[in-house]
mmCIF file of all heavy atoms in Angstrom:
data_model
loop_
_atom_site.group_PDB
_atom_site.id
_atom_site.type_symbol
_atom_site.label_atom_id
_atom_site.label_comp_id
_atom_site.label_asym_id
_atom_site.label_seq_id
_atom_site.Cartn_x
_atom_site.Cartn_y
_atom_site.Cartn_z
ATOM 1 N N GLU A 2 -5.249 -62.294 -28.581
ATOM 2 C CA GLU A 2 -4.599 -62.024 -29.863
ATOM 3 C C GLU A 2 -3.924 -60.650 -29.856
ATOM 4 O O GLU A 2 -2.838 -60.501 -30.405
ATOM 5 C CB GLU A 2 -5.624 -62.100 -30.993
ATOM 6 C CG GLU A 2 -4.993 -61.863 -32.351
ATOM 7 C CD GLU A 2 -6.002 -61.806 -33.486
ATOM 8 O OE1 GLU A 2 -7.199 -61.993 -33.245
ATOM 9 O OE2 GLU A 2 -5.557 -61.560 -34.610
ATOM 10 N N LYS A 6 -0.041 -59.650 -30.780
ATOM 11 C CA LYS A 6 0.270 -58.641 -31.808
ATOM 12 C C LYS A 6 1.190 -57.561 -31.234
ATOM 13 O O LYS A 6 2.118 -57.106 -31.895
ATOM 14 C CB LYS A 6 -1.003 -57.999 -32.365
ATOM 15 C CG LYS A 6 -1.888 -58.939 -33.125
ATOM 16 C CD LYS A 6 -1.288 -59.360 -34.445
ATOM 17 C CE LYS A 6 -2.273 -60.211 -35.221
ATOM 18 N NZ LYS A 6 -1.712 -60.782 -36.425
ATOM 19 N N GLU A 8 3.282 -57.931 -28.744
ATOM 20 C CA GLU A 8 4.619 -58.534 -28.573
ATOM 21 C C GLU A 8 5.357 -58.602 -29.914
ATOM 22 O O GLU A 8 6.553 -58.327 -29.991
ATOM 23 C CB GLU A 8 4.520 -59.927 -27.930
ATOM 24 C CG GLU A 8 4.195 -59.887 -26.459
ATOM 25 C CD GLU A 8 5.111 -58.967 -25.649
ATOM 26 O OE1 GLU A 8 6.342 -59.083 -25.762
ATOM 27 O OE2 GLU A 8 4.584 -58.115 -24.899
ATOM 28 N N GLY A 13 9.357 -55.547 -33.912
ATOM 29 C CA GLY A 13 9.514 -54.916 -35.222
ATOM 30 C C GLY A 13 8.668 -55.507 -36.328
ATOM 31 O O GLY A 13 8.872 -55.196 -37.499
ATOM 32 N N PHE A 24 -6.845 -51.863 -35.865
ATOM 33 C CA PHE A 24 -7.712 -52.246 -34.755
ATOM 34 C C PHE A 24 -8.077 -51.048 -33.876
ATOM 35 O O PHE A 24 -9.203 -50.917 -33.438
ATOM 36 C CB PHE A 24 -7.018 -53.331 -33.919
ATOM 37 C CG PHE A 24 -7.930 -53.992 -32.926
ATOM 38 C CD1 PHE A 24 -8.784 -55.014 -33.322
ATOM 39 C CD2 PHE A 24 -7.942 -53.597 -31.593
ATOM 40 C CE1 PHE A 24 -9.637 -55.622 -32.411
ATOM 41 C CE2 PHE A 24 -8.789 -54.201 -30.677
ATOM 42 C CZ PHE A 24 -9.638 -55.217 -31.080
ATOM 43 N N ARG A 36 -12.816 -34.094 -29.297
ATOM 44 C CA ARG A 36 -12.113 -32.988 -28.649
ATOM 45 C C ARG A 36 -11.808 -31.834 -29.597
ATOM 46 O O ARG A 36 -11.922 -30.678 -29.236
ATOM 47 C CB ARG A 36 -10.824 -33.490 -28.006
ATOM 48 C CG ARG A 36 -11.071 -33.982 -26.609
ATOM 49 C CD ARG A 36 -10.389 -35.285 -26.307
ATOM 50 N NE ARG A 36 -10.946 -35.894 -25.103
ATOM 51 C CZ ARG A 36 -12.025 -36.652 -25.075
ATOM 52 N NH1 ARG A 36 -12.693 -36.900 -26.168
ATOM 53 N NH2 ARG A 36 -12.461 -37.165 -23.951
ATOM 54 N N THR A 37 -11.404 -32.174 -30.819
ATOM 55 C CA THR A 37 -10.981 -31.119 -31.749
ATOM 56 C C THR A 37 -12.133 -30.575 -32.589
ATOM 57 O O THR A 37 -12.063 -29.449 -33.071
ATOM 58 C CB THR A 37 -9.904 -31.650 -32.715
ATOM 59 O OG1 THR A 37 -10.468 -32.692 -33.524
ATOM 60 C CG2 THR A 37 -8.685 -32.156 -31.966
ATOM 61 N N GLU A 38 -13.148 -31.415 -32.812
ATOM 62 C CA GLU A 38 -14.267 -31.075 -33.694
ATOM 63 C C GLU A 38 -13.782 -30.683 -35.092
ATOM 64 O O GLU A 38 -14.369 -29.847 -35.766
ATOM 65 C CB GLU A 38 -15.134 -29.970 -33.079
ATOM 66 C CG GLU A 38 -15.777 -30.381 -31.766
ATOM 67 C CD GLU A 38 -16.592 -29.276 -31.128
ATOM 68 O OE1 GLU A 38 -16.566 -28.133 -31.618
ATOM 69 O OE2 GLU A 38 -17.267 -29.558 -30.124
ATOM 70 N N THR A 50 -0.033 -39.878 -33.089
ATOM 71 C CA THR A 50 -0.163 -40.774 -31.938
ATOM 72 C C THR A 50 0.412 -42.151 -32.263
ATOM 73 O O THR A 50 1.212 -42.696 -31.497
ATOM 74 C CB THR A 50 -1.643 -40.907 -31.513
ATOM 75 O OG1 THR A 50 -2.108 -39.619 -31.112
ATOM 76 C CG2 THR A 50 -1.816 -41.912 -30.389
ATOM 77 N N ILE A 58 7.019 -48.313 -28.531
ATOM 78 C CA ILE A 58 6.257 -49.509 -28.161
ATOM 79 C C ILE A 58 7.021 -50.389 -27.171
ATOM 80 O O ILE A 58 6.420 -51.075 -26.352
ATOM 81 C CB ILE A 58 5.791 -50.305 -29.402
ATOM 82 C CG1 ILE A 58 4.689 -51.285 -28.986
ATOM 83 C CG2 ILE A 58 6.959 -50.984 -30.090
ATOM 84 C CD1 ILE A 58 3.803 -51.715 -30.101
ATOM 85 N N TYR A 79 -2.173 -33.826 -28.480
ATOM 86 C CA TYR A 79 -3.153 -32.740 -28.576
ATOM 87 C C TYR A 79 -2.728 -31.548 -27.709
ATOM 88 O O TYR A 79 -2.787 -30.399 -28.151
ATOM 89 C CB TYR A 79 -4.531 -33.263 -28.165
ATOM 90 C CG TYR A 79 -5.642 -32.246 -28.284
ATOM 91 C CD1 TYR A 79 -5.824 -31.521 -29.457
ATOM 92 C CD2 TYR A 79 -6.524 -32.023 -27.243
ATOM 93 C CE1 TYR A 79 -6.855 -30.597 -29.578
ATOM 94 C CE2 TYR A 79 -7.558 -31.110 -27.356
ATOM 95 C CZ TYR A 79 -7.715 -30.394 -28.520
ATOM 96 O OH TYR A 79 -8.724 -29.477 -28.642
ATOM 97 N N ILE A 80 -2.265 -31.820 -26.501
ATOM 98 C CA ILE A 80 -1.806 -30.746 -25.608
ATOM 99 C C ILE A 80 -0.624 -30.010 -26.238
ATOM 100 O O ILE A 80 -0.569 -28.778 -26.225
ATOM 101 C CB ILE A 80 -1.447 -31.308 -24.213
ATOM 102 C CG1 ILE A 80 -2.731 -31.714 -23.488
ATOM 103 C CG2 ILE A 80 -0.644 -30.310 -23.395
ATOM 104 C CD1 ILE A 80 -2.506 -32.576 -22.245
ATOM 105 N N ASP A 96 5.595 -1.189 -31.472
ATOM 106 C CA ASP A 96 5.175 -0.194 -32.460
ATOM 107 C C ASP A 96 6.253 -0.007 -33.529
ATOM 108 O O ASP A 96 5.934 0.157 -34.709
ATOM 109 C CB ASP A 96 4.894 1.155 -31.776
ATOM 110 C CG ASP A 96 3.604 1.097 -30.951
ATOM 111 O OD1 ASP A 96 2.780 0.190 -31.198
ATOM 112 O OD2 ASP A 96 3.436 1.967 -30.074
ATOM 113 N N ASN A 104 6.461 -0.384 -43.475
ATOM 114 C CA ASN A 104 7.292 0.349 -44.429
ATOM 115 C C ASN A 104 7.914 -0.525 -45.518
ATOM 116 O O ASN A 104 8.477 0.002 -46.462
ATOM 117 C CB ASN A 104 8.408 1.101 -43.695
ATOM 118 C CG ASN A 104 7.869 2.283 -42.917
ATOM 119 O OD1 ASN A 104 6.789 2.795 -43.223
ATOM 120 N ND2 ASN A 104 8.598 2.695 -41.902
ATOM 121 N N SER A 111 13.451 -11.910 -53.825
ATOM 122 C CA SER A 111 14.578 -11.444 -54.635
ATOM 123 C C SER A 111 15.129 -12.618 -55.437
ATOM 124 O O SER A 111 14.742 -13.770 -55.220
ATOM 125 C CB SER A 111 15.677 -10.892 -53.720
ATOM 126 O OG SER A 111 16.247 -11.956 -52.969
ATOM 127 N N CYS A 128 16.866 -36.108 -51.748
ATOM 128 C CA CYS A 128 16.624 -36.955 -50.570
ATOM 129 C C CYS A 128 15.460 -37.905 -50.824
ATOM 130 O O CYS A 128 15.523 -39.085 -50.468
ATOM 131 C CB CYS A 128 16.352 -36.097 -49.334
ATOM 132 S SG CYS A 128 17.782 -35.167 -48.753
ATOM 133 N N LEU A 155 -7.125 -44.925 -53.321
ATOM 134 C CA LEU A 155 -7.768 -45.313 -54.582
ATOM 135 C C LEU A 155 -6.745 -45.398 -55.709
ATOM 136 O O LEU A 155 -6.766 -46.333 -56.505
ATOM 137 C CB LEU A 155 -8.875 -44.314 -54.939
ATOM 138 C CG LEU A 155 -10.108 -44.327 -54.036
ATOM 139 C CD1 LEU A 155 -11.023 -43.155 -54.357
ATOM 140 C CD2 LEU A 155 -10.848 -45.653 -54.164
ATOM 141 N N LYS A 156 -5.839 -44.433 -55.755
ATOM 142 C CA LYS A 156 -4.853 -44.364 -56.834
ATOM 143 C C LYS A 156 -3.909 -45.571 -56.815
ATOM 144 O O LYS A 156 -3.607 -46.146 -57.849
ATOM 145 C CB LYS A 156 -4.054 -43.053 -56.711
ATOM 146 C CG LYS A 156 -2.874 -42.933 -57.636
ATOM 147 C CD LYS A 156 -3.165 -42.031 -58.778
ATOM 148 C CE LYS A 156 -1.888 -41.813 -59.587
ATOM 149 N NZ LYS A 156 -2.158 -41.612 -60.955
ATOM 150 N N ASP A 158 -4.471 -48.342 -55.099
ATOM 151 C CA ASP A 158 -5.268 -49.545 -54.861
ATOM 152 C C ASP A 158 -4.823 -50.299 -53.607
ATOM 153 O O ASP A 158 -4.526 -51.485 -53.647
ATOM 154 C CB ASP A 158 -5.225 -50.462 -56.095
ATOM 155 C CG ASP A 158 -6.307 -51.537 -56.040
ATOM 156 O OD1 ASP A 158 -7.365 -51.272 -55.438
ATOM 157 O OD2 ASP A 158 -6.078 -52.636 -56.582
ATOM 158 N N GLU A 159 -4.753 -49.539 -52.513
ATOM 159 C CA GLU A 159 -4.409 -50.124 -51.215
ATOM 160 C C GLU A 159 -5.363 -49.583 -50.167
ATOM 161 O O GLU A 159 -5.926 -48.508 -50.334
ATOM 162 C CB GLU A 159 -2.972 -49.760 -50.823
ATOM 163 C CG GLU A 159 -1.928 -50.512 -51.605
ATOM 164 C CD GLU A 159 -0.545 -50.412 -50.981
ATOM 165 O OE1 GLU A 159 -0.449 -50.265 -49.740
ATOM 166 O OE2 GLU A 159 0.431 -50.488 -51.730
ATOM 167 N N ARG A 170 5.856 -43.894 -42.408
ATOM 168 C CA ARG A 170 7.211 -44.449 -42.557
ATOM 169 C C ARG A 170 8.037 -43.622 -43.524
ATOM 170 O O ARG A 170 9.214 -43.356 -43.281
ATOM 171 C CB ARG A 170 7.135 -45.893 -43.032
ATOM 172 C CG ARG A 170 6.580 -46.812 -41.981
ATOM 173 C CD ARG A 170 6.648 -48.258 -42.435
ATOM 174 N NE ARG A 170 5.850 -49.087 -41.557
ATOM 175 C CZ ARG A 170 5.038 -50.056 -41.970
ATOM 176 N NH1 ARG A 170 4.921 -50.311 -43.249
ATOM 177 N NH2 ARG A 170 4.357 -50.761 -41.103
ATOM 178 N N LYS A 172 7.796 -40.447 -44.235
ATOM 179 C CA LYS A 172 8.208 -39.193 -43.612
ATOM 180 C C LYS A 172 9.343 -39.414 -42.626
ATOM 181 O O LYS A 172 10.287 -38.622 -42.565
ATOM 182 C CB LYS A 172 7.013 -38.523 -42.913
ATOM 183 C CG LYS A 172 6.029 -37.935 -43.901
ATOM 184 C CD LYS A 172 4.845 -37.192 -43.346
ATOM 185 C CE LYS A 172 4.561 -37.162 -41.921
ATOM 186 N NZ LYS A 172 3.310 -36.521 -41.538
ATOM 187 N N LYS A 173 9.278 -40.502 -41.863
ATOM 188 C CA LYS A 173 10.348 -40.798 -40.900
ATOM 189 C C LYS A 173 11.664 -41.081 -41.624
ATOM 190 O O LYS A 173 12.713 -40.566 -41.235
ATOM 191 C CB LYS A 173 9.976 -42.003 -40.034
ATOM 192 C CG LYS A 173 9.024 -41.685 -38.948
ATOM 193 C CD LYS A 173 8.845 -42.878 -38.049
ATOM 194 C CE LYS A 173 7.897 -42.482 -36.950
ATOM 195 N NZ LYS A 173 7.800 -43.448 -35.914
ATOM 196 N N LEU A 174 11.588 -41.913 -42.650
ATOM 197 C CA LEU A 174 12.802 -42.248 -43.403
ATOM 198 C C LEU A 174 13.381 -41.008 -44.074
ATOM 199 O O LEU A 174 14.599 -40.803 -44.081
ATOM 200 C CB LEU A 174 12.498 -43.331 -44.445
ATOM 201 C CG LEU A 174 12.174 -44.714 -43.877
ATOM 202 C CD1 LEU A 174 11.637 -45.624 -44.970
ATOM 203 C CD2 LEU A 174 13.389 -45.321 -43.202
#
Side-chain angles (χ1 to χ4, degrees):
E2 182 185 358
K6 294 290 185 187
E8 286 308 309
F24 192 82
R36 272 136 196 85
T37 64
E38 298 178 353
T50 298
I58 196 157
Y79 183 50
I80 289 167
D96 288 341
N104 288 338
S111 68
C128 292
L155 291 171
K156 172 104 173 149
D158 195 30
E159 286 195 29
R170 291 186 193 137
K172 287 183 353 186
K173 282 187 179 189
L174 291 169

